[in-house]
Amino acid sequence: MADDKTVSEEFGIEQGLEDLAALDEVEALRAERDELRDRFMRALADAENARKRGERDRREAEQYGGTRLARDLLPVYDNLNRALNAATDEQKAAAAALFEGVQLTLRELTNVMTRHGVKPITPKVGDMFDPQNHEAMFEAPVPGTKAGQIIQVMTEGFLLHDRLLRPAQVGVSSNTGA
């Protein structure tokens, strides 16, 4: 043998194996890079979603955080209204200052509730029953009404911004004819 080259050197097998190993390493690094990029993008998206969720929760807490207090004040509103409506004209005249004080208190309570987003739902006799805003306390056939018409209003309902705080309590006609 004139040349001392080995067969593997002569045909470049060792170099080919080194090239293959380098290509495998490059491919492995690319795969790792792609995986890390994907994990980074997911973590970034998760952080953005958490920020948006936190912002939404903060807004809702600010807007609806007083729900329990508002619900607790509704019986006070109802009782002041009942007190004013229960008195006769003679009683109102005899205790004019007392009734004026009750009216002022009710007006101030109403103003405070309005400032905080509490709005009344005031159905009228003859309106159609709306299950989204009304609670039917009873049904009765009343001549001259249609089924589903409100025939009596027991208590007003209330919304807190756009959420139902308490439905209006009503009586509904069960007539099938007009």
Side-chain angles (χ1 to χ4, degrees), residues 133-149:
N133 294 318
H134 307 141
E135 178 181 8
M137 301 307 289
F138 68 89
E139 278 189 326
V142 175
T145 62
K146 295 180 184 174
Q149 274 187 322

Side-chain angles (χ1 to χ4, degrees), residues 24-85:
D24 285 345
E25 188 177 336
V26 167
E27 284 303 314
L29 289 172
R30 282 185 181 145
E32 184 180 356
R33 177 203 63 198
D34 292 345
E35 179 188 345
L36 290 173
R37 180 181 293 147
D38 182 57
R39 287 173 49 195
F40 172 74
M41 295 305 285
R42 287 176 189 271
L44 198 60
D46 285 345
E48 180 64 17
N49 289 339
R51 184 191 67 76
K52 287 179 183 176
R53 189 171 35 254
E55 179 65 23
R56 183 187 69 233
D57 290 348
R58 184 196 62 75
R59 276 192 319 270
E60 282 188 5
E62 185 177 297
Q63 196 167 26
Y64 301 110
T67 300
R68 284 186 17 211
L69 176 63
R71 274 199 187 108
D72 289 346
L73 287 175
L74 295 182
V76 175
Y77 175 89
D78 293 337
N79 289 333
L80 289 172
N81 248 342
R82 281 189 202 106
L84 291 172
N85 293 331

